[in-house]
Amino acid sequence: MAPIPKTMFGVVIPRPGGPEVLEYRTDLPVPSLGEGHILVRNEYIGVNYIDTYFRTGLYKPRSPSSDSNHPSTSSHDTSSPYPLITGKEASGVISASSHPSFPVGARVVYLADATYAQFTLLTSPQIQATLLPACGRISPETACAAHLQGLTALTFIREAAGIRQQLGISEGPWTLVHAAAGGTGSMLVQILVIMGAKIIATAGGKQKCERAKRLGAQWVVDSTLPQEEVIRQVKEITSGRGVDVVFDGVGKATFETVDLEIVARKGMVIVFGNASGPVGPVDLFRLMPKNIKIMRPSMPGYITTPEEKERFTSELFDFLVKGKIRANIHKVYPLKDVAQAHMDLESRKTTGKLLLKVE
Ligand SMILES: NC(=O)c1ccc[n+]([C@@H]2O[C@H](COP(=O)([O-])OP(=O)(O)OC[C@H]3O[C@@H](n4cnc5c(N)ncnc54)[C@H](OP(=O)(O)O)[C@@H]3O)[C@@H](O)[C@H]2O)c1
């Protein structure tokens, strides 16, 4: 194993802002190992929409004292979470370990804070990390590409929506997935296919709609059409009934005006993101006429114990190894080009997963 340096490279957010605030640095302190921790030398880092929320300040970072990966060593401002290293997932090789189940030299894929860096410290590896050999023949690139978004799709289908495998029964629930050609949307569609659901996908434009169809959605609706037309098409497809579950990572632009219209009586709207902005306060009376359920889940809230991690990662990686789902990689960017990756993701140009490569 190469010796661990005292400083590392990584990407820092000095203050909230646009992609231009992302600052590539080569002088960041390498986090130090404590009891039960592991230090990972990252190879691939996943880019997720949540990274943009931490960059813009929509989501507030925790204070430095609660985060051992925090790069600040300054003594004059201990209350500010900035400068911040963002990023929520990566794959790489364990460089140092004080955890008996995670030996130095082993490859892992993991969820943690501060992954836009050469090294990341994992303080609860049993909940955060999965040893890659345990996942079969999956490369570190594929594992990273499928991990966070795949776990999000799987836990939301199983836990939030309560959808179980239909095992050959053709009468699965009616579902609708917004932004179905995106990273999380692609995973939702593919896993819903396995569950035997009837899937209507919405996506922005002809090419993205074709992609959603190839992923297995039986019906597609172009979300660039006026919303009345989107609603009309969904009602036509479902013979006026509406869908049992809406999976919505778009948020503000679709929740009130589309989701509450297309959801069936006793149906459920699962809003899980803010790609178009956060959903505002909800008038609960809007739920009354159709007895609608709404949920606002977060994937980490379903993976809080080693058992939960084991259950969902093994199911996800089993789907991958058996070829039932694929990680569709849009592009692999060098870590230095992270600003371009954020710009591409926010401009709705991308399909599938964006990765950063650490060289
Ligand atoms: N709650 C959780 O635990 C959790 C976990 C993972 C992801 N998420 C959420 O899932 C959503 C998707 O994340 P992702 O990383 O997989 O991204 P993504 O879906 O690959 O990219 C975002 C997509 O959202 C659609 N979109 C609609 N309106 C948009 C707007 N105004 N600006 C930008 N994009 C818009 C675009 O697809 P079209 O062109 O097809 O409309 C765009 O390609 C995000 O809201 C994210 O926060 C939540």
Side-chain angles (χ1 to χ4, degrees), residues 49 53 149 152 182-184 203-204 208 249 272-275 297-299 348:
Y49 224 93
Y53 307 150
Q149 293 171 343
T152 301
T184 309
K208 286 188 177 184
F272 60 92
N274 330 288
S298 151
M299 181 270 285
R348 303 172 73 158

Side-chain angles (χ1 to χ4, degrees), residues 156-157 160-163 166 170-177 192 196-200 219 234-235 237-248 259-271 290-295:
F156 289 4
I157 288 168
I163 296 175
Q166 299 295 307
S170 58
E171 281 309 297
W174 277 101
T175 61
L176 182 136
V177 178
L192 284 168
K198 297 192 262 297
I199 309 157
I200 304 174
W219 299 270
V234 174
K235 289 201 169 153
I237 293 164
T238 60
S239 308
R241 178 186 184 280
V243 296
D244 299 304
V245 187
V246 180
F247 293 94
D248 186 354
D259 300 352
L260 297 184
E261 297 297 322
I262 59 170
V263 67
R265 182 178 72 89
K266 300 197 286 179
M268 176 185 283
V269 178
I270 301 174
V271 186
K290 292 194 278 186
N291 285 2
I292 299 167
K293 300 183 261 301
I294 48 174
M295 280 206 73

Side-chain angles (χ1 to χ4, degrees), residues 122-136:
L122 276 62
T123 54
S124 306
Q126 274 187 300
I127 300 170
Q128 298 171 291
T130 298
L131 290 165
L132 275 184
C135 314

